[in-house]
Amino acid sequence: MPSEKTATVAITRIGAAPESAEDVVAVEEPLEISAAWQSEGVLREKTISVTMRTPGDDYDLAAGFLFTEGLIASGEDLESVRHWGSPNKVRVALTPGARIDASKLERHFYTTSSCGICGKTSIEAVRLTLGALAAAEPVDASVIRRLPAILEEAQTAFRATGGVHGAALVDRTGRLLCVREDIGRHNAVDKVIGSYVRERATPLPGTILMVSSRGGFEIVQKAAAAGISTVAFIGGPSSLAVDLARDLGMTLVGFVREGRFNVYTGVVR
Amino acid sequence: MPSEKTATVAITRIGAAPESAEDVVAVEEPLEISAAWQSEGVLREKTISVTMRTPGDDYDLAAGFLFTEGLIASGEDLESVRHWGSPNKVRVALTPGARIDASKLERHFYTTSSCGICGKTSIEAVRLTLGALAAAEPVDASVIRRLPAILEEAQTAFRATGGVHGAALVDRTGRLLCVREDIGRHNAVDKVIGSYVRERATPLPGTILMVSSRGGFEIVQKAAAAGISTVAFIGGPSSLAVDLARDLGMTLVGFVREGRFNVYTGVVR
Protein backbone atom coordinates (compact mmCIF):
# COMPACT_ATOMS: atom_id res chain seq x y z
CA MET A 1 0.00 0.00 0.00
CA PRO A 2 1.46 3.38 -0.96
CA SER A 3 2.48 5.65 1.90
CA GLU A 4 2.50 9.45 1.79
CA LYS A 5 6.09 9.04 0.55
CA THR A 6 5.07 7.21 -2.61
CA ALA A 7 2.44 7.45 -5.34
CA THR A 8 1.34 4.99 -7.99
CA VAL A 9 1.36 6.04 -11.63
CA ALA A 10 0.41 4.27 -14.85
CA ILE A 11 3.37 3.69 -17.15
CA THR A 12 4.40 1.85 -20.28
CA ARG A 13 7.30 -0.47 -19.57
CA ILE A 14 9.58 -0.90 -22.59
CA GLY A 15 11.65 -4.04 -22.53
CA ALA A 16 11.58 -6.67 -25.24
CA ALA A 17 8.04 -5.44 -25.95
CA PRO A 18 5.98 -2.54 -24.51
CA GLU A 19 3.55 -3.40 -21.72
CA SER A 20 1.21 -1.31 -19.61
CA ALA A 21 2.11 -1.37 -15.95
CA GLU A 22 1.97 0.57 -12.71
CA ASP A 23 5.00 2.09 -11.09
CA VAL A 24 5.50 3.51 -7.62
CA VAL A 25 7.26 6.89 -7.60
CA ALA A 26 8.62 9.01 -4.79
CA VAL A 27 6.38 11.90 -3.80
CA GLU A 28 7.99 15.32 -4.11
CA GLU A 29 6.34 18.39 -2.59
CA PRO A 30 7.71 21.71 -1.41
CA LEU A 31 8.03 22.40 2.30
CA GLU A 32 8.14 25.92 3.67
CA ILE A 33 9.97 26.19 6.99
CA SER A 34 9.36 29.34 9.02
CA ALA A 35 10.58 30.35 12.44
CA ALA A 36 8.98 32.58 15.08
CA TRP A 37 10.78 34.11 18.06
CA GLN A 38 10.61 37.05 20.45
CA SER A 39 13.03 39.92 19.88
CA GLU A 40 12.87 42.87 22.29
CA GLY A 41 9.28 42.10 23.14
CA VAL A 42 8.19 41.83 19.50
CA LEU A 43 7.19 38.58 17.78
CA ARG A 44 9.45 38.06 14.77
CA GLU A 45 8.50 35.58 12.08
CA LYS A 46 10.51 34.67 9.04
CA THR A 47 10.42 32.13 6.22
CA ILE A 48 13.74 30.34 6.50
CA SER A 49 13.65 27.91 3.60
CA VAL A 50 11.48 26.36 0.95
CA THR A 51 12.81 22.97 -0.04
CA MET A 52 11.53 20.22 -2.31
CA ARG A 53 11.08 17.20 -0.07
CA THR A 54 9.34 13.88 0.28
CA PRO A 55 6.51 14.31 2.81
CA GLY A 56 6.93 12.58 6.16
CA ASP A 57 9.08 13.42 9.19
CA ASP A 58 8.56 17.09 8.39
CA TYR A 59 9.19 18.13 12.00
CA ASP A 60 12.50 16.26 11.98
CA LEU A 61 13.42 17.96 8.71
CA ALA A 62 12.62 21.44 10.03
CA ALA A 63 14.44 20.92 13.33
CA GLY A 64 17.40 19.24 11.64
CA PHE A 65 17.70 21.92 9.00
CA LEU A 66 17.75 24.77 11.55
CA PHE A 67 20.28 22.89 13.66
CA THR A 68 22.70 21.66 11.00
CA GLU A 69 22.77 25.12 9.42
CA GLY A 70 23.71 26.65 12.76
CA LEU A 71 20.51 28.70 13.08
CA ILE A 72 19.64 27.13 16.44
CA ALA A 73 22.18 25.92 19.00
CA SER A 74 20.38 22.77 20.13
CA GLY A 75 16.98 21.21 20.69
CA GLU A 76 16.69 23.40 23.79
CA ASP A 77 15.87 26.29 21.46
CA LEU A 78 12.70 24.56 20.22
CA GLU A 79 9.44 25.60 21.84
CA SER A 80 7.26 23.82 19.28
CA VAL A 81 7.39 22.48 15.74
CA ARG A 82 4.02 22.34 14.00
CA HIS A 83 2.33 22.21 10.65
CA TRP A 84 0.96 25.67 10.05
CA GLY A 85 -2.11 26.06 7.88
CA SER A 86 -0.91 23.55 5.28
CA PRO A 87 0.68 20.11 5.19
CA ASN A 88 3.48 21.80 3.22
CA LYS A 89 4.26 24.45 5.85
CA VAL A 90 6.01 23.91 9.16
CA ARG A 91 6.45 26.63 11.76
CA VAL A 92 9.16 26.38 14.40
CA ALA A 93 8.53 28.50 17.51
CA LEU A 94 11.64 29.18 19.56
CA THR A 95 11.89 29.26 23.33
CA PRO A 96 12.20 32.66 25.10
CA GLY A 97 15.70 33.98 24.62
CA ALA A 98 16.38 31.94 21.48
CA ARG A 99 16.40 33.72 18.18
CA ILE A 100 17.44 33.34 14.55
CA ASP A 101 20.45 35.45 13.74
CA ALA A 102 19.45 37.17 10.50
CA SER A 103 23.08 37.85 9.59
CA LYS A 104 23.71 34.10 9.71
CA LEU A 105 20.86 33.63 7.26
CA GLU A 106 22.58 35.91 4.81
CA ARG A 107 26.05 34.52 5.38
CA HIS A 108 25.30 30.83 5.52
CA PHE A 109 22.50 30.42 3.03
CA TYR A 110 22.30 30.75 -0.65
CA THR A 111 19.58 30.72 -3.21
CA THR A 112 18.95 27.95 -5.63
CA SER A 113 16.29 26.98 -8.07
CA SER A 114 12.80 26.67 -6.70
CA CYS A 115 9.27 26.03 -7.69
CA GLY A 116 7.29 28.21 -5.34
CA ILE A 117 5.37 27.37 -2.25
CA CYS A 118 3.23 24.44 -3.32
CA GLY A 119 3.26 22.02 -6.19
CA LYS A 120 0.12 23.36 -7.76
CA THR A 121 1.13 26.98 -7.62
CA SER A 122 4.53 26.24 -9.05
CA ILE A 123 3.18 24.12 -11.87
CA GLU A 124 0.88 26.96 -12.81
CA ALA A 125 3.72 29.43 -12.57
CA VAL A 126 5.82 27.40 -15.00
CA ARG A 127 2.94 27.20 -17.45
CA LEU A 128 2.60 30.95 -17.34
CA THR A 129 6.24 31.66 -18.05
CA LEU A 130 6.57 28.95 -20.69
CA GLY A 131 3.47 29.57 -22.73
CA ALA A 132 4.09 27.86 -26.00
CA LEU A 133 6.12 24.72 -25.29
CA ALA A 134 5.58 22.47 -28.29
CA ALA A 135 4.12 19.08 -27.42
CA ALA A 136 6.75 16.36 -27.53
CA GLU A 137 6.90 14.42 -30.76
CA PRO A 138 7.11 10.63 -30.51
CA VAL A 139 10.62 9.42 -29.75
CA ASP A 140 12.19 6.24 -31.08
CA ALA A 141 12.74 3.62 -28.41
CA SER A 142 15.99 2.65 -30.11
CA VAL A 143 17.37 6.15 -29.49
CA ILE A 144 16.34 6.10 -25.85
CA ARG A 145 17.99 2.73 -25.34
CA ARG A 146 21.28 4.18 -26.55
CA LEU A 147 21.22 7.25 -24.27
CA PRO A 148 23.08 5.76 -21.28
CA ALA A 149 25.95 4.63 -23.49
CA ILE A 150 26.07 8.03 -25.24
CA LEU A 151 26.19 9.84 -21.90
CA GLU A 152 28.72 7.50 -20.33
CA GLU A 153 31.00 7.71 -23.34
CA ALA A 154 30.99 11.51 -23.22
CA GLN A 155 31.40 11.88 -19.45
CA THR A 156 35.14 12.11 -18.91
CA ALA A 157 35.06 13.19 -15.26
CA PHE A 158 32.58 10.47 -14.35
CA ARG A 159 34.82 7.80 -15.79
CA ALA A 160 37.65 9.16 -13.67
CA THR A 161 35.75 9.59 -10.41
CA GLY A 162 32.47 7.69 -10.51
CA GLY A 163 31.08 10.65 -8.61
CA VAL A 164 29.96 13.32 -11.07
CA HIS A 165 26.56 13.81 -12.65
CA GLY A 166 26.23 14.27 -16.37
CA ALA A 167 23.64 15.88 -18.62
CA ALA A 168 23.60 15.39 -22.36
CA LEU A 169 21.53 16.93 -25.12
CA VAL A 170 20.99 14.70 -28.15
CA ASP A 171 18.93 15.11 -31.28
CA ARG A 172 16.14 12.77 -32.32
CA THR A 173 18.54 10.47 -34.15
CA GLY A 174 20.68 10.06 -31.01
CA ARG A 175 23.47 12.37 -32.15
CA LEU A 176 25.25 13.99 -29.21
CA LEU A 177 24.92 17.77 -29.28
CA CYS A 178 26.32 18.81 -25.89
CA VAL A 179 27.44 17.19 -22.65
CA ARG A 180 28.32 18.80 -19.33
CA GLU A 181 29.34 17.41 -15.95
CA ASP A 182 28.96 18.64 -12.41
CA ILE A 183 28.80 17.29 -8.90
CA GLY A 184 25.27 18.78 -8.86
CA ARG A 185 22.73 17.40 -11.29
CA HIS A 186 20.90 20.73 -11.54
CA ASN A 187 24.19 22.41 -12.38
CA ALA A 188 24.97 19.88 -15.11
CA VAL A 189 21.59 20.68 -16.70
CA ASP A 190 22.12 24.43 -16.33
CA LYS A 191 25.53 24.11 -18.00
CA VAL A 192 24.06 22.30 -21.02
CA ILE A 193 21.24 24.79 -21.42
CA GLY A 194 23.49 27.75 -20.65
CA SER A 195 25.84 26.82 -23.49
CA TYR A 196 22.92 27.38 -25.88
CA VAL A 197 21.68 30.49 -24.09
CA ARG A 198 25.11 32.04 -24.55
CA GLU A 199 24.93 31.22 -28.29
CA ARG A 200 21.39 32.68 -28.43
CA ALA A 201 20.30 29.25 -29.63
CA THR A 202 17.30 28.57 -27.40
CA PRO A 203 14.60 27.25 -27.56
CA LEU A 204 15.70 23.69 -28.38
CA PRO A 205 12.75 21.83 -29.90
CA GLY A 206 13.23 18.29 -31.14
CA THR A 207 16.00 17.53 -28.66
CA ILE A 208 16.25 15.06 -25.81
CA LEU A 209 17.83 15.85 -22.44
CA MET A 210 19.41 12.82 -20.73
CA VAL A 211 20.45 13.17 -17.09
CA SER A 212 22.44 10.65 -15.05
CA SER A 213 20.29 11.11 -11.96
CA ARG A 214 16.79 10.69 -10.66
CA GLY A 215 14.28 13.05 -12.22
CA GLY A 216 12.95 15.81 -10.03
CA PHE A 217 10.53 18.64 -10.67
CA GLU A 218 13.25 21.23 -11.01
CA ILE A 219 15.06 19.45 -13.83
CA VAL A 220 11.84 19.03 -15.80
CA GLN A 221 11.13 22.71 -15.20
CA LYS A 222 14.59 23.71 -16.45
CA ALA A 223 14.18 21.58 -19.59
CA ALA A 224 10.78 23.09 -20.27
CA ALA A 225 12.20 26.60 -19.89
CA ALA A 226 14.62 25.78 -22.71
CA GLY A 227 11.89 24.31 -24.93
CA ILE A 228 13.22 20.77 -24.54
CA SER A 229 10.21 18.52 -24.68
CA THR A 230 11.74 15.10 -23.98
CA VAL A 231 13.62 14.25 -20.79
CA ALA A 232 15.24 10.92 -19.89
CA PHE A 233 16.67 9.84 -16.55
CA ILE A 234 18.84 6.91 -15.52
CA GLY A 235 16.98 6.94 -12.20
CA GLY A 236 13.31 7.28 -11.40
CA PRO A 237 11.22 10.44 -11.58
CA SER A 238 9.34 12.06 -8.73
CA SER A 239 5.58 12.43 -8.58
CA LEU A 240 5.79 16.16 -9.26
CA ALA A 241 8.19 15.69 -12.17
CA VAL A 242 5.70 13.35 -13.85
CA ASP A 243 2.80 15.73 -13.13
CA LEU A 244 4.63 18.69 -14.62
CA ALA A 245 5.80 16.82 -17.70
CA ARG A 246 2.29 15.51 -18.36
CA ASP A 247 0.73 18.93 -17.90
CA LEU A 248 3.20 20.48 -20.34
CA GLY A 249 2.82 17.79 -23.01
CA MET A 250 6.39 16.58 -22.55
CA THR A 251 7.75 13.04 -22.80
CA LEU A 252 9.39 11.71 -19.64
CA VAL A 253 11.18 8.37 -19.49
CA GLY A 254 12.96 6.95 -16.47
CA PHE A 255 15.09 4.01 -15.34
CA VAL A 256 16.79 4.01 -18.73
CA ARG A 257 19.15 1.11 -18.12
CA GLU A 258 20.35 -2.00 -19.84
CA GLY A 259 18.06 -1.65 -22.84
CA ARG A 260 14.92 -1.11 -20.78
CA PHE A 261 13.04 1.98 -19.63
CA ASN A 262 9.69 3.23 -18.37
CA VAL A 263 7.53 5.79 -20.17
CA TYR A 264 5.83 7.95 -17.53
CA THR A 265 4.19 10.33 -19.97
CA GLY A 266 4.40 11.05 -23.70
CA VAL A 267 4.70 8.81 -26.73
CA VAL A 268 7.56 6.42 -27.53
CA ARG A 269 7.36 4.33 -30.65
CA MET B 1 45.98 13.58 -16.07
CA PRO B 2 43.56 15.23 -13.65
CA SER B 3 41.54 18.15 -15.03
CA GLU B 4 40.19 21.05 -12.97
CA LYS B 5 37.12 18.84 -12.50
CA THR B 6 39.02 16.14 -10.65
CA ALA B 7 41.64 15.82 -7.93
CA THR B 8 43.79 12.91 -6.83
CA VAL B 9 43.78 11.85 -3.18
CA ALA B 10 45.60 9.12 -1.25
CA ILE B 11 43.26 6.45 0.10
CA THR B 12 43.26 3.06 1.72
CA ARG B 13 41.30 0.59 -0.37
CA ILE B 14 39.63 -2.09 1.74
CA GLY B 15 38.79 -5.25 -0.14
CA ALA B 16 40.02 -8.68 0.83
CA ALA B 17 42.97 -6.84 2.44
CA PRO B 18 43.75 -3.12 2.90
CA GLU B 19 46.02 -1.50 0.35
CA SER B 20 47.26 2.03 -0.15
CA ALA B 21 46.09 3.57 -3.40
CA GLU B 22 45.23 6.78 -5.14
CA ASP B 23 41.70 7.78 -6.04
CA VAL B 24 40.41 10.49 -8.32
CA VAL B 25 37.59 12.54 -6.78
CA ALA B 26 35.32 15.18 -8.22
CA VAL B 27 36.28 18.73 -7.35
CA GLU B 28 33.63 20.70 -5.48
CA GLU B 29 33.95 24.46 -5.03
CA PRO B 30 31.41 27.20 -4.47
CA LEU B 31 30.51 29.54 -7.31
CA GLU B 32 29.03 32.96 -6.68
CA ILE B 33 26.90 34.26 -9.54
CA SER B 34 26.16 37.96 -9.58
CA ALA B 35 24.32 40.10 -12.10
CA ALA B 36 24.77 43.75 -13.05
CA TRP B 37 22.27 45.88 -14.95
CA GLN B 38 21.16 49.45 -15.47
CA SER B 39 17.98 50.58 -13.76
CA GLU B 40 16.86 54.18 -14.26
CA GLY B 41 20.39 55.24 -15.03
CA VAL B 42 21.86 53.55 -11.96
CA LEU B 43 24.09 50.47 -12.07
CA ARG B 44 22.47 47.74 -9.98
CA GLU B 45 24.49 44.75 -8.90
CA LYS B 46 23.23 41.75 -6.97
CA THR B 47 24.50 38.36 -5.87
CA ILE B 48 22.00 35.94 -7.35
CA SER B 49 23.22 32.59 -6.14
CA VAL B 50 26.05 30.75 -4.45
CA THR B 51 26.07 27.13 -5.48
CA MET B 52 28.44 24.24 -4.87
CA ARG B 53 29.67 23.18 -8.27
CA THR B 54 32.43 21.37 -10.11
CA PRO B 55 34.66 23.99 -11.76
CA GLY B 56 34.52 24.22 -15.55
CA ASP B 57 31.94 25.66 -17.90
CA ASP B 58 31.22 28.33 -15.29
CA TYR B 59 29.90 30.78 -17.89
CA ASP B 60 27.47 28.16 -19.16
CA LEU B 61 26.35 27.50 -15.59
CA ALA B 62 25.77 31.17 -14.84
CA ALA B 63 23.90 31.82 -18.10
CA GLY B 64 21.90 28.63 -17.80
CA PHE B 65 20.96 29.26 -14.21
CA LEU B 66 19.67 32.77 -14.91
CA PHE B 67 17.74 31.52 -17.93
CA THR B 68 16.19 28.34 -16.53
CA GLU B 69 15.09 30.22 -13.42
CA GLY B 70 13.34 32.81 -15.56
CA LEU B 71 15.57 35.69 -14.47
CA ILE B 72 16.57 36.50 -18.05
CA ALA B 73 14.38 35.98 -21.09
CA SER B 74 17.04 34.72 -23.52
CA GLY B 75 20.68 34.96 -24.46
CA GLU B 76 19.87 38.40 -25.94
CA ASP B 77 19.88 39.73 -22.38
CA LEU B 78 23.56 38.84 -21.92
CA GLU B 79 26.07 41.62 -22.44
CA SER B 80 28.99 39.66 -20.97
CA VAL B 81 29.69 36.74 -18.67
CA ARG B 82 33.06 36.89 -16.92
CA HIS B 83 35.03 35.66 -13.97
CA TRP B 84 35.16 38.54 -11.55
CA GLY B 85 38.11 38.81 -9.20
CA SER B 86 38.13 35.08 -8.39
CA PRO B 87 37.84 31.78 -10.24
CA ASN B 88 34.85 31.13 -7.96
CA LYS B 89 32.93 34.28 -8.90
CA VAL B 90 31.14 34.95 -12.17
CA ARG B 91 29.52 38.27 -13.03
CA VAL B 92 26.82 38.50 -15.68
CA ALA B 93 26.37 41.97 -17.17
CA LEU B 94 23.01 42.48 -18.87
CA THR B 95 22.36 44.40 -22.08
CA PRO B 96 20.74 47.85 -21.86
CA GLY B 97 17.07 47.45 -21.09
CA ALA B 98 17.45 44.00 -19.55
CA ARG B 99 17.15 43.69 -15.81
CA ILE B 100 16.69 41.16 -13.03
CA ASP B 101 13.23 41.37 -11.54
CA ALA B 102 13.91 41.37 -7.81
CA SER B 103 10.38 40.18 -7.03
CA LYS B 104 11.10 37.10 -9.13
CA LEU B 105 14.15 36.44 -7.05
CA GLU B 106 12.02 36.37 -3.94
CA ARG B 107 9.22 34.37 -5.46
CA HIS B 108 11.18 31.81 -7.42
CA PHE B 109 14.19 31.21 -5.22
CA TYR B 110 14.64 29.66 -1.87
CA THR B 111 17.43 29.29 0.57
CA THR B 112 19.18 26.09 1.32
CA SER B 113 22.28 24.96 3.09
CA SER B 114 25.53 26.64 2.10
CA CYS B 115 29.12 26.84 2.97
CA GLY B 116 29.97 30.45 2.26
CA ILE B 117 31.78 32.03 -0.62
CA CYS B 118 34.86 29.89 -0.98
CA GLY B 119 35.97 26.51 0.21
CA LYS B 120 38.60 27.80 2.56
CA THR B 121 36.40 30.38 4.20
CA SER B 122 33.63 27.92 4.71
CA ILE B 123 35.89 25.25 6.16
CA GLU B 124 37.16 27.78 8.66
CA ALA B 125 33.61 28.86 9.45
CA VAL B 126 32.61 25.30 10.24
CA ARG B 127 35.60 24.88 12.54
CA LEU B 128 34.61 27.98 14.42
CA THR B 129 31.03 26.95 15.03
CA LEU B 130 31.86 23.34 15.85
CA GLY B 131 34.77 23.83 18.24
CA ALA B 132 35.08 20.58 20.06
CA LEU B 133 34.20 17.79 17.62
CA ALA B 134 35.79 14.67 19.05
CA ALA B 135 38.23 12.96 16.71
CA ALA B 136 36.74 9.86 15.12
CA GLU B 137 37.59 6.62 16.88
CA PRO B 138 38.68 3.72 14.68
CA VAL B 139 35.76 1.95 13.04
CA ASP B 140 35.53 -1.77 12.38
CA ALA B 141 35.69 -2.66 8.70
CA SER B 142 33.16 -5.42 9.32
CA VAL B 143 30.60 -2.83 10.46
CA ILE B 144 31.19 -0.62 7.42
CA ARG B 145 30.79 -3.58 5.09
CA ARG B 146 27.33 -4.21 6.55
CA LEU B 147 26.09 -0.62 6.18
CA PRO B 148 24.58 -0.89 2.68
CA ALA B 149 22.52 -3.91 3.70
CA ILE B 150 21.40 -2.18 6.91
CA LEU B 151 20.33 0.91 4.98
CA GLU B 152 18.63 -0.99 2.19
CA GLU B 153 16.73 -3.18 4.65
CA ALA B 154 15.42 -0.11 6.50
CA GLN B 155 14.51 1.97 3.45
CA THR B 156 10.90 1.14 2.71
CA ALA B 157 10.25 3.88 0.17
CA PHE B 158 13.41 3.10 -1.75
CA ARG B 159 12.40 -0.52 -2.12
CA ALA B 160 9.07 0.67 -3.51
CA THR B 161 10.36 3.33 -5.87
CA GLY B 162 14.09 2.94 -6.41
CA GLY B 163 14.18 6.72 -6.39
CA VAL B 164 14.54 7.93 -2.81
CA HIS B 165 17.70 8.69 -0.87
CA GLY B 166 18.20 7.24 2.57
CA ALA B 167 20.28 8.23 5.57
CA ALA B 168 20.86 5.92 8.52
CA LEU B 169 22.51 6.43 11.87
CA VAL B 170 24.09 3.31 13.35
CA ASP B 171 26.20 2.74 16.43
CA ARG B 172 29.72 1.34 16.40
CA THR B 173 28.46 -2.23 16.53
CA GLY B 174 26.29 -1.68 13.45
CA ARG B 175 22.99 -1.43 15.33
CA LEU B 176 20.48 0.73 13.44
CA LEU B 177 19.48 3.77 15.49
CA CYS B 178 17.49 5.85 13.01
CA VAL B 179 16.68 5.87 9.31
CA ARG B 180 14.96 8.53 7.22
CA GLU B 181 14.18 8.83 3.52
CA ASP B 182 13.74 11.75 1.17
CA ILE B 183 14.02 12.56 -2.50
CA GLY B 184 16.77 14.97 -1.41
CA ARG B 185 19.87 13.53 0.22
CA HIS B 186 20.44 16.64 2.32
CA ASN B 187 16.88 16.37 3.56
CA ALA B 188 17.31 12.72 4.51
CA VAL B 189 20.34 13.70 6.62
CA ASP B 190 18.50 16.64 8.19
CA LYS B 191 15.60 14.35 9.08
CA VAL B 192 17.90 11.88 10.87
CA ILE B 193 19.70 14.60 12.80
CA GLY B 194 16.50 16.54 13.44
CA SER B 195 14.91 13.54 15.13
CA TYR B 196 17.68 13.77 17.76
CA VAL B 197 17.57 17.55 17.95
CA ARG B 198 13.88 17.34 18.81
CA GLU B 199 14.71 14.84 21.58
CA ARG B 200 17.52 17.14 22.81
CA ALA B 201 19.84 14.20 22.17
CA THR B 202 22.65 15.87 20.22
CA PRO B 203 25.65 15.65 19.96
CA LEU B 204 25.92 12.07 18.70
CA PRO B 205 29.48 10.86 19.34
CA GLY B 206 30.40 7.28 18.51
CA THR B 207 27.83 6.99 15.74
CA ILE B 208 28.17 6.44 12.00
CA LEU B 209 26.08 8.25 9.40
CA MET B 210 25.49 6.22 6.23
CA VAL B 211 24.05 7.99 3.20
CA SER B 212 22.87 6.39 -0.04
CA SER B 213 24.40 9.09 -2.21
CA ARG B 214 27.66 10.64 -3.18
CA GLY B 215 29.33 12.55 -0.36
CA GLY B 216 29.42 16.31 -0.67
CA PHE B 217 30.75 19.04 1.58
CA GLU B 218 27.36 19.96 2.92
CA ILE B 219 26.57 16.47 4.22
CA VAL B 220 29.91 16.25 6.00
CA GLN B 221 29.22 19.68 7.46
CA LYS B 222 25.79 18.62 8.69
CA ALA B 223 27.21 15.48 10.30
CA ALA B 224 29.93 17.50 12.00
CA ALA B 225 27.36 19.95 13.35
CA ALA B 226 25.67 17.02 15.08
CA GLY B 227 28.92 15.64 16.48
CA ILE B 228 28.86 12.61 14.18
CA SER B 229 32.49 11.83 13.45
CA THR B 230 32.18 8.98 10.94
CA VAL B 231 30.41 9.29 7.60
CA ALA B 232 29.96 6.60 4.95
CA PHE B 233 28.67 6.97 1.40
CA ILE B 234 27.56 4.47 -1.20
CA GLY B 235 28.96 6.85 -3.81
CA GLY B 236 32.20 8.79 -3.94
CA PRO B 237 33.06 11.91 -1.96
CA SER B 238 33.96 15.30 -3.36
CA SER B 239 37.33 16.97 -2.92
CA LEU B 240 35.90 19.46 -0.43
CA ALA B 241 34.12 16.76 1.56
CA VAL B 242 37.42 14.93 2.03
CA ASP B 243 39.22 18.16 2.95
CA LEU B 244 36.63 19.08 5.55
CA ALA B 245 36.49 15.61 7.10
CA ARG B 246 40.29 15.46 7.34
CA ASP B 247 40.52 18.93 8.88
CA LEU B 248 37.91 18.02 11.49
CA GLY B 249 39.46 14.67 12.41
CA MET B 250 36.52 12.73 11.05
CA THR B 251 36.51 9.36 9.29
CA LEU B 252 35.11 9.37 5.75
CA VAL B 253 34.60 6.20 3.71
CA GLY B 254 33.12 6.03 0.23
CA PHE B 255 32.06 3.59 -2.48
CA VAL B 256 30.82 1.25 0.23
CA ARG B 257 29.56 -1.53 -2.03
CA GLU B 258 29.71 -5.29 -2.29
CA GLY B 259 32.01 -5.77 0.69
CA ARG B 260 34.55 -3.19 -0.46
CA PHE B 261 35.10 0.47 0.35
CA ASN B 262 37.66 3.28 0.26
CA VAL B 263 38.97 5.11 3.33
CA TYR B 264 39.53 8.75 2.36
CA THR B 265 40.49 9.91 5.84
CA GLY B 266 40.41 8.50 9.37
CA VAL B 267 41.20 5.07 10.76
CA VAL B 268 39.43 1.82 9.92
CA ARG B 269 40.68 -1.38 11.54
Side-chain angles (χ1 to χ4, degrees), chain A residues 4 27-34 50-62 81-91 117-120, chain B residues 182 191:
Chain A
E4 63 181 341
V27 172
E28 179 183 30
E29 290 282 344
L31 179 71
E32 178 182 316
I33 301 170
S34 65
V50 180
T51 182
M52 300 302 295
R53 63 68 167 99
T54 301
D57 307 306
D58 288 341
Y59 297 169
D60 291 344
L61 176 56
V81 184
R82 300 220 179 105
H83 280 111
W84 201 254
S86 157
N88 284 340
K89 295 187 182 185
V90 166
R91 183 180 189 260
I117 291 309
C118 86
K120 188 150 177 291
Chain B
D182 201 284
K191 284 178 175 179

Side-chain angles (χ1 to χ4, degrees), chain B residues 91-116:
Chain B
R91 182 181 189 259
V92 179
L94 304 187
T95 48
R99 63 186 57 194
I100 301 285
D101 180 349
S103 72
K104 269 199 174 167
L105 272 180
E106 286 177 23
R107 198 167 68 244
H108 286 294
F109 286 63
Y110 63 94
T111 56
T112 179
S113 54
S114 173
C115 65

Side-chain angles (χ1 to χ4, degrees), chain A residues 130 132-133 169 178 189-207 222-228, chain B residues 60 63-69 72-78:
Chain A
L130 296 176
L133 181 69
L169 197 71
C178 178
V189 170
D190 276 339
K191 284 177 175 179
V192 167
I193 294 173
S195 73
Y196 291 94
V197 171
R198 292 177 63 211
E199 299 291 334
R200 293 154 173 68
T202 56
L204 296 157
T207 60
K222 285 174 185 294
I228 299 166
Chain B
D60 291 343
F65 182 82
L66 293 181
F67 175 74
T68 66
E69 298 306 324
I72 61 171
S74 75
E76 304 291 339
D77 287 353
L78 300 174

